[in-house]
Amino acid sequence: MATPRTQRSRCPISIALEIFGDPWTLLVVRDLMFKGLRTFNEFLNAGEGIASNVLAERLTRLERAGIVTRHADAADARKRVYRLTRKGIDLAPVLVEIVLWSDRYEDTDAPPQTVHAMRTQREEVLSQVQREWAESGKLSGRRRR
Amino acid sequence: MATPRTQRSRCPISIALEIFGDPWTLLVVRDLMFKGLRTFNEFLNAGEGIASNVLAERLTRLERAGIVTRHADAADARKRVYRLTRKGIDLAPVLVEIVLWSDRYEDTDAPPQTVHAMRTQREEVLSQVQREWAESGKLSGRRRR
DNA sequence: CAAATGACTTGCGTGAAGCAAGTGATCTGC
DNA sequence: GCAGATCACTTGCTTCACGCAAGTCATTTG
């Protein structure tokens, strides 16, 4: 699994890796943040080949970590709509830095225009992500205590 | 293991997670980057409880990925000295963003002063890391092709 | 030169990942 | 209004990676 059974140190990096230190969790966040995907089957068919049982477990874990929320779809009761919380959206800088590093050193198919925007107008790109989630109530509630 | 056997997509995030998408790899990078650790036993006893076989495998993997190099210690032939390459140092922004996120949302023991510096003087902190590795030949060579 | 140290390697048991198929609720087309 | 499709999972099974303990081998120290 992603997380060792006993908690390690309280180092911020160690704690973060207990949450998303596996090959799949951040891909789900990416699907939500950048690809606009919202439902189980959309994640499942996003192209990376995650197994359905693993996906189900990661979504539960992300929900418990307060990074996503799960709502019933008003129009179709079979569907569940997943959304990022603010805590989830605040992973944007992490994802952006990963994209920049990966684009610099690995052979990726990232759109050059997007990468260039991330590199030269980081703050703009980040606040753009925030805005996308703030408008039209796409941002999930919760975190109110 | 960290990496699924078949390559997934060429998405930059997916590719990066194939390299460090596990609970241990970035901790070794952290030990090198922020804690000044350099040898196998230092990593092994860094407090997180990584198993020696896993550590050995991660170091080989990091070396193959061009993120660290392994050198014989001039003073003690039993020791191997591990160093970050530039590619490894360039993971600093990723680690910094992880620290900031984790500090904001989780209960960590990160020194507030350090976190504050990362938040308010990001560029300073990053170039400081670069400088530390540039001076005195600590920066590993390689990457010359 | 014996004991200690450092960097791993090996062997074993357990748990997580990958794969295929199944389940139950809801929806759609005829 | 019911059969078949869709959706979000769950179950069962096999394989693989992790965690743990112990061992190996070169080098160094007392």
Side-chain angles (χ1 to χ4, degrees):
Chain A
M1 213 239 288
T3 302
R5 51 228 96 281
T6 79
Q7 196 187 352
R8 302 185 292 192
S9 75
R10 285 178 54 208
C11 161
I13 296 175
S14 181
I15 288 174
L17 291 176
E18 285 176 26
I19 297 172
F20 55 71
D22 73 283
W24 296 114
T25 301
L26 284 184
L27 289 183
V28 176
V29 176
R30 172 206 64 179
D31 289 344
L32 282 160
M33 193 177 294
F34 297 122
K35 297 195 170 184
L37 309 188
R38 296 290 178 271
T39 65
F40 193 90
N41 276 341
E42 287 176 349
F43 302 139
L44 196 60
N45 302 317
E48 312 284 357
I50 189 171
S52 60
N53 54 348
V54 175
L55 175 58
E57 197 254 344
R58 291 303 129 88
L59 286 170
T60 305
R61 171 187 285 272
L62 279 169
E63 190 184 18
R64 271 207 298 262
I67 292 171
V68 309
T69 54
R70 195 187 313 239
H71 302 282
D73 186 325
D76 185 343
R78 292 172 304 177
K79 292 189 183 175
R80 309 276 183 88
V81 178
Y82 290 90
R83 294 206 187 90
L84 289 172
T85 62
R86 168 151 295 276
K87 183 176 178 181
I89 294 165
D90 281 348
L91 283 170
V94 175
L95 291 183
V96 164
E97 293 302 336
I98 289 175
V99 169
L100 292 177
W101 181 85
S102 209
D103 177 75
R104 184 189 299 265
Y105 291 106
E106 304 291 329
D107 182 29
T108 79
D109 63 357
Q113 199 171 359
T114 306
V115 174
H116 186 257
M118 286 180 175
R119 203 182 306 280
T120 62
Q121 301 159 77
R122 212 183 96 96
E123 293 307 319
E124 291 298 316
V125 170
L126 290 176
S127 53
Q128 172 65 21
V129 172
Q130 304 265 357
R131 250 177 286 128
E132 280 174 23
W133 284 86
E135 73 192 14
S136 74
K138 271 159 70 185
L139 182 82
S140 164
R142 218 153 176 287
R143 298 284 99 191
R144 197 74 56 82
R145 48 169 52 208
Chain B
M1 213 238 289
T3 303
R5 48 230 95 280
T6 80
Q7 197 186 350
R8 303 184 293 192
S9 75
R10 285 178 54 208
C11 161
I13 296 175
S14 182
I15 288 174
L17 291 176
E18 285 176 26
I19 297 173
F20 55 72
D22 73 282
W24 296 114
T25 301
L26 284 185
L27 290 183
V28 176
V29 176
R30 172 206 64 181
D31 288 344
L32 282 159
M33 193 177 294
F34 297 122
K35 296 194 172 184
L37 309 188
R38 296 290 179 269
T39 65
F40 193 91
N41 276 341
E42 286 176 351
F43 302 139
L44 197 61
N45 303 316
E48 312 283 357
I50 189 171
S52 60
N53 54 348
V54 175
L55 175 58
E57 198 255 343
R58 291 304 129 87
L59 286 170
T60 304
R61 170 186 285 274
L62 280 169
E63 191 184 16
R64 271 207 298 263
I67 292 171
V68 309
T69 54
R70 197 189 309 240
H71 302 282
D73 187 324
D76 184 342
R78 291 171 307 177
K79 292 189 183 174
R80 308 275 184 91
V81 178
Y82 290 89
R83 294 206 187 90
L84 289 172
T85 62
R86 168 151 294 277
K87 183 176 178 182
I89 294 166
D90 281 347
L91 283 170
V94 175
L95 290 182
V96 164
E97 293 302 337
I98 290 175
V99 168
L100 293 177
W101 181 85
S102 209
D103 178 74
R104 185 189 299 265
Y105 291 106
E106 304 291 329
D107 181 30
T108 80
D109 63 359
Q113 198 171 359
T114 305
V115 174
H116 185 259
M118 286 180 173
R119 204 182 305 279
T120 62
Q121 301 159 78
R122 212 183 94 98
E123 292 307 320
E124 292 298 317
V125 171
L126 289 177
S127 53
Q128 173 65 22
V129 171
Q130 304 265 357
R131 249 178 285 127
E132 281 174 18
W133 284 85
E135 73 191 16
S136 74
K138 272 159 69 184
L139 181 81
S140 163
R142 219 151 174 288
R143 296 287 100 192
R144 196 73 55 83
R145 51 169 52 205

